[in-house]
Amino acid sequence: MAELAAKIIAPVSVTAALLTYFGYVQTTTVFSYFGVDVGTLGFGTFDYVQRSPSVVFWPVALLLLGVVGWYWLYRGVDILAARPDAIRYLRYVRVVAPLLTASGVLIAGFGAASAFMSPLPLRELRLQHQQLALPLALALGVLLAAFGVHLRHRWIECPVASHPADVVKLASAAGVLIFAAFWAVGSYGAIQGEEIAEKIASHLPDQTTGVVIYSRDRLYLSGYGVRNDALDQPNSAYRFRYSGLRLLVRTSEAYVLLPVGWIRRSGAPVFVIPENLGIRVDYQAIT
């Protein structure tokens, strides 16, 4: 029973850790766009995990399709090599196999060198989709080289049994592919996070819900579109009202608000208002 539990818990723990990391990458990029350190918002593991499906869905779907396609490619080569007339294709294999191996090594070398010069982008902004080419180049290079080696072994060398060195090569290739997949999904999460942040910023005036803050003390909220009204009603629990705000996120500890006319540039304000500041928060339908 303990052994079965260990076999179940280990993959679940690894999956949860990966989902947390990829959710963290996306969330960090979103809030870094607005100049907010995600560490100050009090997010927990569950907050990152629930943001991760949008990051991992398409990469995992494409990965599964790629695995199925690659399997049938290898299977097709083996079936073709087992045919009685397979010798007729040998001259093509003698040319294609070394070309695939050499090109794979070059492409993988480019991706590997880029990995050391440009590590996982956690906090960089203005990420471009071209950055995905680096981990994809690493993965593609390994696959091409592995396929070239497979062609040579299956058609030219024709080994009768597997060699221990083959296991080492396979494990090394699998390790590099896992690293490349991790790198690619991390980069994709960062790119997606920036796109989300840009969409939020560009559609602030179009949001259908506004935020109004009532406070006992002056909060000194100012920015593009923020309105500050002093309340003169006697016996009122609040003396100031701030409108023209949009909610960026509500955490367990604070409200993160943006002016309706927020523009990303030096000095553009983002308001982090603690929950226990003696305020009242109203949500207002915008027509």
Side-chain angles (χ1 to χ4, degrees):
M1 181 63 69
E3 183 179 353
L4 177 61
K7 291 181 179 180
I8 296 175
I9 292 174
V12 171
S13 300
V14 172
T15 302
L18 291 175
L19 292 177
T20 301
Y21 173 76
F22 295 133
Y24 170 78
V25 169
Q26 185 201 71
T27 306
T28 299
T29 308
V30 170
F31 288 99
S32 294
Y33 183 91
F34 297 100
V36 178
D37 184 358
V38 73
T40 64
L41 299 179
F43 287 139
T45 300
F46 178 76
D47 298 300
Y48 296 126
V49 170
Q50 70 177 354
R51 288 172 168 82
S52 62
S54 62
V55 178
V56 302
F57 177 79
W58 284 112
V60 170
L62 293 176
L63 176 63
L64 293 176
L65 290 175
V67 169
V68 173
W70 204 252
Y71 167 79
W72 283 110
L73 179 61
Y74 267 67
R75 182 62 177 162
V77 168
D78 291 340
I79 293 174
L80 190 61
R83 292 176 51 175
D85 59 343
I87 192 66
R88 60 188 292 190
Y89 304 106
L90 182 59
R91 64 177 182 274
Y92 301 110
V93 174
R94 291 185 183 276
V95 176
V96 172
L99 287 178
L100 287 175
T101 304
S103 60
V105 170
L106 290 176
I107 296 173
F110 168 76
S114 301
F116 289 103
M117 293 185 294
S118 177
L120 286 172
L122 295 182
R123 298 182 181 271
E124 294 182 24
L125 296 179
R126 305 307 307 167
L127 298 172
Q128 300 297 324
H129 285 80
Q130 287 81 350
Q131 284 190 264
L132 284 174
L134 301 179
L136 293 180
L138 180 60
L140 179 62
V142 171
L143 291 174
L144 289 177
F147 188 59
V149 171
H150 179 71
L151 283 177
R152 178 177 179 83
H153 283 201
R154 188 67 181 83
W155 289 73
I156 301 175
E157 298 177 357
C158 299
V160 296
S162 61
H163 193 272
D166 297 334
V167 178
V168 175
K169 293 177 183 177
L170 181 61
S172 301
V176 174
L177 289 175
I178 292 173
F179 168 77
F182 182 81
W183 182 16
V185 177
S187 297
Y188 176 72
I191 292 171
Q192 189 183 64
E194 185 178 348
E195 291 178 347
I196 292 172
E198 290 178 341
K199 185 176 181 180
I200 293 173
S202 62
H203 289 83
L204 283 176
D206 302 328
Q207 288 187 11
T208 57
T209 302
V211 178
V212 180
I213 300 290
Y214 292 88
S215 66
R216 294 193 303 264
D217 303 315
R218 188 182 295 275
L219 300 179
Y220 298 97
L221 305 183
S222 62
Y224 304 103
V226 176
R227 180 176 175 177
N228 178 10
D229 297 315
L231 304 178
D232 299 326
Q233 291 86 348
N235 301 322
S236 174
Y238 304 100
R239 299 175 53 220
F240 301 96
R241 178 177 62 202
Y242 297 89
S243 57
L245 300 168
R246 298 293 186 268
L247 181 68
L248 179 59
V249 69
R250 165 75 167 90
T251 72
S252 60
E253 301 177 358
Y255 296 87
V256 182
L257 304 172
L258 296 172
V260 65
W262 189 87
I263 300 175
R264 184 173 182 264
R265 66 182 186 184
S266 178
V270 177
F271 310 123
V272 181
I273 302 179
E275 175 73 25
N276 58 355
L277 198 60
I279 63 172
R280 190 184 89 193
V281 179
D282 290 354
Y283 295 99
Q284 180 183 59
I286 306 296
T287 58

